[in-house]
Amino acid sequence: MSTSKKILVTGGAGYIGAHTVVELIAAGYEPVIVDNLSASDKTLLRGVQQLTGKTLNFHQGDCRDKNFLNFVFKTQGPINCVMHFAAFKSVGESVQKPLLYHHNNVGSVLTLLEVMSEHAVTDFVFSSSCTVYGQPDKIPVDEKAPFKRAESPYGATKQLCERILEDVHTTGFRIISLRYFNPIGAHPSGLIGELPIGIPNNLVPFITQTAAGLRKKLTVFGNNYNTPDGSCIRDFIHVGDLADVHVKALAYLEKDTRKNVYDVFNVGTGKGASVLELVNLFIRTTGAPLPFVIGPRRPGDVEKVYADPTRVNTVLRWSSRYSMEDALKHAWAWEQKLHKSH
Ligand code: NAD
Ligand code: WQD
């Protein structure tokens, strides 16, 4: 019988979940993956298998389905910790389909907590987002910054989930919310990376698809912001670094003997980079052609945000290993590999 600790990874067939599964396996954990494949397929799971040489313990099902979750907890147990990535994440789509987003993102958290409680599982790591801050008054933004009214239903679901988690932790849960800034890049092997469905909303997949000839040109949304080059500023973090934080969060919870924990960490590099800086770095480092134009601002975009990562650096003892250049190289290698294999 295996003695390694089992970690339930919801949304493990998706972008960040799949990268985290790789890091968990490398650190000696045994991931149990749950995903309903509503925003993914099995491509990344196959990549993880190739990368790790492990047969994955995967269960297809919905995190709002209590019977399904009960079955997984009963047959797989004991589960040491739940890492909850499963959610819908498109800001624009959430404006069109607010009920779907609230139902999926908030409903999944509620159902998972109920089932965890029934199976006496206490430890939970939640995928939150810097979107909870909106446009912060002070940059770099630290965890004490107040939530501004969310710009989108997606942002509202993350705020609501965090509130729920904070409320329930006093009843015996040990919870960490990780507020991710802008994850980019892919595994250095080129075997797993971002696989958006349809036209990408996010900057880097739009760039790599444009350079690969799938899109005609990139539009930079605005160059008249109050920033040095006029384009928006973000904190771009390599997805491999982000995956690594999850392993550090587990180690932290394992060492912590408190019965009730609610802890929040910003997960960013602490360095702001502008959209135009990133675009030019992509062209310089990959040599790939990237036609782009300057367009109007995208409604709802914040002008400038980057993390104060002091807490994650000192408390979780994590800092980023990869540069933005690495992330762009890896994202491009992944995009190229995708086209070779299809
Ligand atoms: P993703 O869409 O690649 O992965 C999410 C996975 O969850 C998908 O495989 C999807 O099929 C699955 N899923 C969705 N609803 C489900 C449900 N009810 N039951 C089971 N599976 C379900 O997204 P990602 O980029 O890997 O994001 C992971 C998490 O991180 C999400 O919670 C997202 O909101 C959060 N986040 C992402 C970003 C980002 O820019 N990618 C930034 C901040 C926070
Ligand atoms: C980055 C910058 C765009 C596409 C979103 C969510 C946030 C979090 C991360 C989940 C912006 C510009 C983009 C393009 C562009 N996700 N851009 N042309 O909006 O910072 O954050 O993903 O929690 O909650 O809001 O990320 O990658 O969409 O945009 O100029 O074709 O790139 O205007 O300034 P964003 P993004």
Side-chain angles (χ1 to χ4, degrees):
M1 206 181 97
S2 153
T3 52
S4 50
K5 292 181 175 166
K6 284 192 171 172
I7 311 299
L8 187 80
V9 182
T10 77
Y15 176 46
I16 305 168
H19 285 83
T20 304
V21 167
V22 171
E23 296 300 324
L24 286 172
I25 292 174
Y29 292 98
E30 207 181 316
V32 178
I33 302 170
V34 161
D35 201 302
N36 64 1
L37 304 182
S38 57
S40 56
D41 57 22
K42 290 192 177 164
T43 308
L44 301 188
L45 294 178
R46 281 193 290 271
V48 173
Q49 239 158 235
Q50 206 180 330
L51 199 52
T52 60
K54 296 260 184 214
T55 306
L56 295 180
N57 184 352
F58 171 63
H59 303 264
Q60 185 170 347
D62 197 300
C63 291
R64 290 162 294 178
D65 180 345
K66 211 170 166 183
N67 291 334
F68 163 71
L69 286 183
N70 260 319
F71 174 80
V72 173
F73 276 74
K74 211 182 288 165
T75 53
Q76 296 299 317
I79 301 284
N80 277 80
C81 178
V82 174
M83 290 197 168
H84 181 47
F85 297 94
F88 290 147
K89 64 164 178 181
S90 163
V91 173
E93 188 187 47
S94 79
V95 178
Q96 307 305 320
K97 300 174 182 171
L99 188 54
L100 179 75
Y101 270 66
H102 279 282
H103 200 286
N104 197 35
N105 294 5
V106 181
S108 293
V109 165
L110 293 173
T111 312
L112 264 170
L113 291 170
E114 276 171 16
V115 176
M116 285 173 66
S117 197
E118 283 162 27
H119 293 267
V121 177
T122 56
D123 292 9
F124 191 82
V125 178
F126 177 63
S127 299
S128 190
S129 167
C130 66
T131 199
V132 297
Y133 297 119
Q135 175 65 69
D137 297 326
K138 204 180 101 222
I139 302 166
V141 60
D142 67 26
E143 292 85 353
K144 290 193 210 80
F147 289 0
K148 295 282 180 65
R149 188 183 152 76
E151 289 273 358
S152 68
Y154 169 74
T157 69
K158 292 293 173 190
Q159 292 183 344
L160 284 166
C161 287
E162 280 209 26
R163 176 61 203 254
I164 292 165
L165 295 172
E166 191 179 352
D167 285 347
V168 301
H169 90 278
T170 54
T171 62
F173 285 102
R174 295 157 29 93
I175 299 171
I176 290 183
S177 283
L178 298 174
R179 293 180 183 153
Y180 312 155
F181 280 66
N182 286 57
I184 60 167
H187 193 273
S189 63
L191 288 171
I192 54 171
E194 201 164 358
L195 201 56
I197 297 173
I199 302 172
N201 299 301
N202 294 115
L203 179 61
V204 171
F206 204 102
I207 287 178
T208 56
Q209 289 197 5
T210 306
L214 267 69
R215 317 264 156 227
K216 273 212 184 82
K217 59 178 185 305
L218 167 79
T219 302
V220 171
F221 298 137
N223 68 347
N224 56 357
Y225 285 98
N226 184 24
T227 59
D229 65 21
S231 65
C232 291
I233 289 179
R234 294 288 182 275
D235 187 333
F236 298 101
I237 171 174
H238 193 294
V239 66
D241 280 331
L242 180 52
D244 187 34
V245 178
H246 292 77
V247 178
K248 297 276 196 311
L250 267 184
Y252 173 78
L253 278 178
E254 280 165 7
K255 265 205 221 120
D256 196 327
T257 52
R258 286 175 295 165
K259 284 215 160 49
N260 307 307
V261 176
Y262 185 66
D263 235 322
V264 179
F265 297 93
N266 280 343
V267 190
T269 64
K271 290 179 215 102
S274 78
V275 172
L276 282 169
E277 273 176 77
L278 185 143
V279 166
N280 288 321
L281 186 63
F282 179 85
I283 296 168
R284 267 205 319 276
T285 49
T286 64
L290 179 63
F292 72 92
V293 292
I294 307 292
R297 292 180 175 197
R298 184 173 67 176
D301 269 342
V302 305
E303 181 169 272
K304 189 169 26 166
V305 64
Y306 52 93
D308 175 344
T310 307
R311 282 207 86 231
V312 72
N313 294 159
T314 53
V315 181
L316 295 192
R317 294 164 198 263
W318 169 90
S319 52
S320 48
R321 289 171 291 175
Y322 293 112
S323 65
M324 204 160 91
E325 197 172 338
D326 294 331
L328 294 174
K329 261 192 219 155
H330 296 156
W332 181 229
W334 159 248
E335 183 75 48
Q336 286 174 304
K337 207 154 201 162
L338 265 180
H339 300 296
K340 269 192 207 131
S341 57
H342 283 96

